Amino acid sequence: MLNALEVVTIVVVGVLVGVEFSVPFFSNPILNALPGDNGLRGRVHGARLGGVMPFWYIGSLVLVGVWAVAGRDDGGTGLVVTAAALLIVSVLMSILVLVPINNRVKTWTDGSRPADWKEQMRRWDRWHYARVAVIIAAFACLAAALT
């Protein structure tokens, strides 16, 4: 049973990492290259679609927590607990910085965006890079815990 939990957790967290990694390295560069305000429109739409992410982050954290408890006698438990701590950091980053920016962005229209909208996008991008690094580290800890 623990093996199945480990596999499911690795897959769920791995796909989360892939999705979040694709945003700054693929999606945003494509959106930024679009003419006019089309890139901003894409980001506004993306901010609206971000509603599924809290469930994915919390679900990942729950799976890692269950793994840590169920596998507490295994040698890799310290790495699993470290992964859980890193996922908690990523959730806090989201709640405290990224979600408030997303909540503003998803209300913007062509006529209602603030004058500093580009700076807000750059701030979101910087924090997102940091969050991606944190969840990659969490994923690496989980992968290492399997050995």
Side-chain angles (χ1 to χ4, degrees):
M1 186 67 170
L2 181 59
N3 287 343
L5 174 64
E6 292 168 345
V7 169
V8 168
T9 303
I10 288 282
V11 169
V12 169
V13 174
V15 174
L16 172 68
V17 168
V19 167
E20 293 291 33
F21 181 87
S22 73
V23 170
F25 296 104
F26 299 102
S27 299
N28 284 349
I30 291 168
L31 292 173
N32 293 341
L34 293 173
D37 290 340
N38 291 317
L40 176 59
R41 289 179 183 160
R43 282 184 176 242
V44 168
H45 185 64
R48 291 181 186 139
L49 292 175
V52 72
M53 298 314 290
F55 300 103
W56 204 342
Y57 273 87
I58 299 300
S60 295
L61 181 56
V62 167
L63 285 169
V64 172
V66 171
W67 178 355
V69 171
R72 65 187 166 275
D73 296 327
D74 289 352
T77 302
L79 289 167
V80 177
V81 171
T82 300
L86 289 166
L87 289 174
I88 289 169
V89 168
S90 74
V91 168
L92 290 173
M93 291 170 73
S94 299
I95 292 169
L96 297 174
V97 180
L98 293 156
V99 169
I101 295 171
N102 262 4
N103 286 342
R104 288 191 301 271
V105 170
K106 66 185 178 183
T107 66
W108 295 349
T109 62
D110 289 338
S112 73
R113 68 176 181 240
D116 70 339
W117 71 272
K118 288 183 181 180
E119 177 51 37
Q120 290 189 52
M121 291 292 85
R122 284 191 292 272
R123 183 171 186 240
W124 188 93
D125 289 344
R126 285 189 304 271
W127 279 98
H128 186 73
Y129 279 118
R131 179 174 62 179
V132 168
V134 169
I135 63 174
I136 287 172
F139 180 74
C141 287
L142 294 174
L146 291 174
T147 59

